[in-house]
């Protein structure tokens, strides 16, 4: 940074000298017309200065590139960390595309600003001050004429800038709408194609694209008008200098060389001033970008670093919900006073209509969200006081949509435990009934699964997810509809794998098909955010209450599907 500043000062000084030499050439060589050796010296001096100025310009870019890009690299890394550590609540309210646009577009803007503009602020600022100094020294009278257009320009700029700012804000909003759309339609490309909606998506994209274009055009037009007008006024100072300076030369109070130098300086003065105008526009955009970046950076991240938290490296797995209330939106409670006590190693089946709050209960257990009233304790400690890292590393999740990362099968199984021995990966894969299908693949464990694992079937992905959970060896296990929508032989294999996985762990299982929950120690029935029944399958059937009705409706509807299938 210091080096950069030193270079900038040197560069400005070097740029300021040539007109002084030109002045001497005119006044001391060309007008008295007899001093050839002085001409040679002066031209040599000019050339020397040019070479030095060129050298410093190269040096500044060279050093500037490193300083700028390093700052950006750091900013991008910080932004990514911030995104990773943000609580889910942050993501509930935002679109993925808009977040990605922050990472790319906004950080690009800040990037250009940091690399290319910050050094110029200093160099152009120095330039303006330097030139005004020299001008004032040469003739303060003429300098006043040069500065005459400045006050009206300042007034005009302040007026127009507020409008421009509004345009930049609209511009970036349109831009993030466009990226959101792009992101969504590419992620959902299979659905788009399956419903033959390419044309409609194209039209929706066009609308957003045209919106963006319109805002860009309006912003640019405003800017051009402003820029051309100020430019014209600014350069009108030169006419005054020619006129009044010319009169001085005729009256012999100024030499022609001094007038030439003066005019050269005035033109030189316009360059940085013009640049400041341009730069201001750019800065506004960069600030709009930076603001959105800081919104992410400043959002409260999850309390991973809380020094007051209790370290619990070895959970037993006893879970206690006590009159727990929770809602994603304040004023719209989803859980309304749930109380439940679970023994270590117990398997709980969560049952209830869709939207009853089953997944929400699980989200609280993973501490994706905190209860708003009541409490949730694990091994007798309030979950908010447990070290988050200890908690998360001992909770395993096998979800309905098993999410695999682009990489090999082995890497995906070892996701929660990077660097684990291959033997352990194999053992987990055996236990998950995955080994058989993995070795049937051409590359075996080295097979690339593709983005989100899309080169594998649903049942295969699930078994990899189960192997991942087995290897992770959590104390508390969550199975979220882990066996839905599979054919019977695959389901049997997965059931078997799950039975091995569940062994000895506190387990919460959500399944729509109630028959798959027979192995659960107790079933917990939720309705509209309340726990309405708790008991074994048999007990609840005998009670003939809520659960009984759920089972009956499900049997009837499946019987209807079967009979319909038979009829057709
Ligand atoms: P279940 O798993 O029993 O089907 P959930 O726990 O997923 O039900 O959802 C319970 C209620 O909470 C539903 O009404 C659902 O719309 C709402 N909900 C779930 N997730 C969110 C969220 N991220 N933001 C707002 N509301 C949500």
């Amino acid at each position: 940074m210091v080096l950069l500043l030193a270079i900038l000062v040197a560069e400005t000084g070097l740029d300021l000298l040539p007109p002084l030499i030109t002045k001497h050439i005119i006044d001391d060589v060309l007008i008295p017309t007899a001093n050839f050796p002085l001409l040679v010296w002066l031209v040599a001096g000019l050339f020397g200065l040019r070479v030095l100025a060129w050298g410093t310009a190269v040096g500044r870019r060279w050093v500037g590139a490193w300083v700028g890009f390093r700052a950006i690299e750091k900013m991008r890394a910080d932004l990514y960390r911030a995104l990773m550590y943000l609580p889910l609540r942050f993501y509930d309210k935002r679109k993925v595309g808009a977040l990605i646009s922050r990472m790319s577009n906004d950080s690009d803007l800040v990037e250009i600003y940091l690399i290319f503009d910050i050094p110029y602020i200093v160099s152009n600022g120095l330039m303006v001050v330097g030139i005004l100094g020299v001008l004032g020294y040469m003739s303060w009278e003429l300098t006043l004429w040069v500065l005459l257009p400045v006050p009206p320009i300042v007034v005009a700029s302040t007026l127009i800038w507020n409008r421009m700012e509004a345009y930049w804000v609209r511009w970036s909003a349109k831009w993030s709408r466009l990226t959101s759309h792009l992101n969504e339609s590419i992620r959902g490309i299979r659905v788009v194609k399956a419903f033959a909606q390419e044309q409609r998506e194209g039209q929706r994209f066009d609308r957003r694209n045209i919106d963006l274009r319109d805002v860009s055009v309006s912003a640019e037009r405003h800017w051009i008008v402003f820029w051309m007008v100020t430019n014209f006024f600014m350069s009108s100072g030169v006419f005054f200098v020619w006129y009044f300076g010319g009169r001085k030369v005729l009256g012999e109070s100024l030499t022609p060389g001094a007038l030439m130098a003066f005019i050269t300086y005035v033109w030189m003065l316009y360059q940085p001033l013009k640049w400041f105008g341009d730069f201001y526009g750019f800065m506004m955009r960069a600030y709009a970008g930076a603001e959105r970046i800081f919104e992410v950076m400043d959002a409260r991240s999850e309390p991973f670093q809380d020094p007051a938290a209790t370290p619990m490296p070895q959970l037993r797995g006893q879970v206690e919900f006590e009159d727990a209330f929770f809602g994603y939106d304040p004023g719209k409670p989803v859980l309304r006073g749930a109380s439940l006590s679970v023994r270590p190693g117990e398997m709980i089946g969560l049952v209830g209509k869709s939207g009853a709050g089953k997944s929400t209960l699980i989200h609280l257990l993973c501490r994706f969200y905190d209860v708003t009233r009541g409490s949730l304790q694990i091994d007798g400690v309030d979950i908010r006081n447990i070290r988050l890292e200890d908690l998360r590393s001992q909770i395993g999740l096998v979800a309905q949509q098993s999410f695999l990362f682009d990489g090999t099968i082995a890497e995906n199984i070892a996701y929660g435990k990077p660097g684990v021995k291959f033997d352990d990966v194999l053992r987990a894969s055996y236990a998950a009934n995955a080994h058989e299908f993995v070795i049937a693949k051409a590359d075996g464990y080295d097979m690339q699964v593709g983005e989100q694992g899309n080169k594998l079937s649903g049942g295969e992905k699930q078994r990899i997810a189960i192997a991942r959970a087995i290897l992770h060896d959590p104390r508390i296990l969550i199975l979220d509809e882990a066996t839905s929508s599979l054919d019977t032989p695959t389901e049997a294999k997965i059931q078997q794998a799950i039975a091995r996985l569940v062994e000895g762990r506190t387990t919460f299982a959500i399944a729509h098909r109630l028959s798959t929950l027979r192995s659960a120690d107790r079933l917990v029935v939720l309705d509209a955010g309340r726990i309405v029944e708790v008991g074994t399958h048999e007990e609840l059937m005998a009670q003939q209450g809520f659960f009984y009705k759920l089972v009956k409706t499900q049997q009837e509807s499946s019987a209807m599907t079967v009979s319909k299938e038979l009829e057709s």
Side-chain angles (χ1 to χ4, degrees), residues 88 92-93 326-329 332-335 351-363 369 480-481 510 512 526 529:
L88 279 183
D92 282 347
K93 299 196 175 63
F326 172 75
Y328 295 94
D329 301 309
K332 260 178 66 187
V334 171
L335 283 186
V351 186
K353 290 188 201 134
S354 159
K358 305 179 291 286
S359 309
T360 305
L361 208 68
I362 297 302
H363 288 162
Y369 304 90
D480 189 356
E481 309 250 12
I510 303 179
H512 265 311
L526 277 157

